Amino acid sequence: HVGNFVSGSDKISFTAGFADSAILFLFLAAVGAANGIYLAMHRSIKNVELFVFTQLVTDLFSLAILVYLTGGPGSIFTHFYFAVILAASLLGRSRSSVVCAGMGALFQTITVILFAAVEREHLVGVSVSWYVERDVNLDYFVSFLAVPALAFFVVAILSNHLAVRLSTLRLVNDRVLRTMKEAVVISDRNTHIILFNKEARDLFGFPAERE
């Protein structure tokens, strides 16, 4: 009914905006369904490393589509690439974060070139209201291409360093617990046991298969 009160270009703009929103909501629903599938099958996965890497790649591809649908290089969701790169460092090996940084830079390059070569009004599913307007010149490519790509790899390197520090700290704590002769039991605020050493397992009869 709203369309009856507008005319000409306003009516076309209203229809295009509604179509953009529908495409975006359908995409987000598909991502939510994919996460539900991951949650249902994660306990039966044997190759955890491959499973995690597959999720990271899927997240990057989904994020690239989200960035495209919300304005391309000017989208506010471009910053989410950093979250995936950080997750790759903490959940996978060091090379995983570098690969994710490279893929993020590739997707960003494709989006930047696409928006520079084609007018945004001609891009299917892109809402003009999401887009940060910028003239296509040297500043455009530096701001939307060179700076993000460099930042992706910087974050990958720094997050790898953080992951190494955390793994080293975890290894030290594990060795300390294993070599202590006293029984040690660690619980959270709700008194749920989250960690114990061999002496505590022998003393209290905890299941041997528990980590």
Side-chain angles (χ1 to χ4, degrees):
H1 295 287
V2 177
N4 295 329
F5 295 96
V6 294
S7 61
S9 60
D10 292 337
K11 189 172 183 177
I12 296 176
S13 177
F14 172 79
T15 304
F18 181 79
D20 290 337
S21 299
I23 293 174
L24 180 60
F25 286 135
L26 286 175
F27 168 73
L28 294 177
V31 172
N35 281 307
I37 295 174
Y38 280 138
L39 184 62
M41 63 184 298
H42 81 281
R43 293 185 180 276
S44 60
I45 297 299
K46 295 182 179 180
N47 192 338
V48 179
E49 183 178 352
L50 178 61
F51 179 66
V52 170
F53 185 75
T54 302
Q55 279 190 307
L56 292 171
V57 173
T58 304
D59 287 345
L60 285 172
F61 183 73
S62 301
L63 181 56
I65 297 177
L66 179 62
V67 169
Y68 170 84
L69 293 176
T70 55
S75 172
I76 59 175
F77 296 106
T78 303
H79 305 291
F80 280 41
Y81 282 116
F82 296 109
V84 180
I85 296 171
L86 179 60
S89 297
L90 298 179
L91 299 178
R93 296 180 179 178
S94 59
R95 63 183 179 183
S96 299
S97 60
V98 176
V99 171
C100 288
M103 293 185 64
L106 175 62
F107 289 140
Q108 181 74 1
T109 301
I110 294 174
T111 306
V112 168
I113 295 177
L114 182 64
F115 270 73
V118 186
E119 294 182 5
R120 62 183 182 276
E121 290 85 354
H122 297 164
L123 293 174
V124 179
V126 176
S127 176
V128 178
S129 61
W130 284 92
Y131 186 70
V132 177
E133 294 192 28
R134 184 75 62 85
D135 294 333
V136 179
N137 50 29
L138 181 61
D139 292 340
Y140 173 86
F141 288 102
V142 170
S143 300
F144 291 144
L145 182 57
V147 173
L150 178 62
F152 293 161
F153 284 101
V154 170
V155 170
I157 295 173
L158 294 178
S159 58
N160 284 337
H161 181 68
L162 174 63
V164 171
R165 294 283 298 273
L166 290 176
S167 62
T168 302
L169 180 62
R170 188 181 303 115
L171 180 62
V172 171
N173 290 339
D174 183 63
R175 287 182 177 178
V176 169
L177 284 175
R178 289 182 183 274
T179 56
M180 288 182 66
K181 298 302 180 181
E182 295 80 10
V184 179
V185 179
I186 302 176
S187 66
D188 59 16
R189 295 181 179 180
N190 298 320
T191 68
H192 295 148
I193 296 176
I194 58 176
L195 188 66
F196 54 85
N197 61 356
K198 181 179 181 300
E199 284 67 23
R201 183 179 63 194
D202 296 339
L203 179 62
F204 298 109
F206 292 147
E209 65 274 8
R210 286 286 303 275
E211 289 291 339

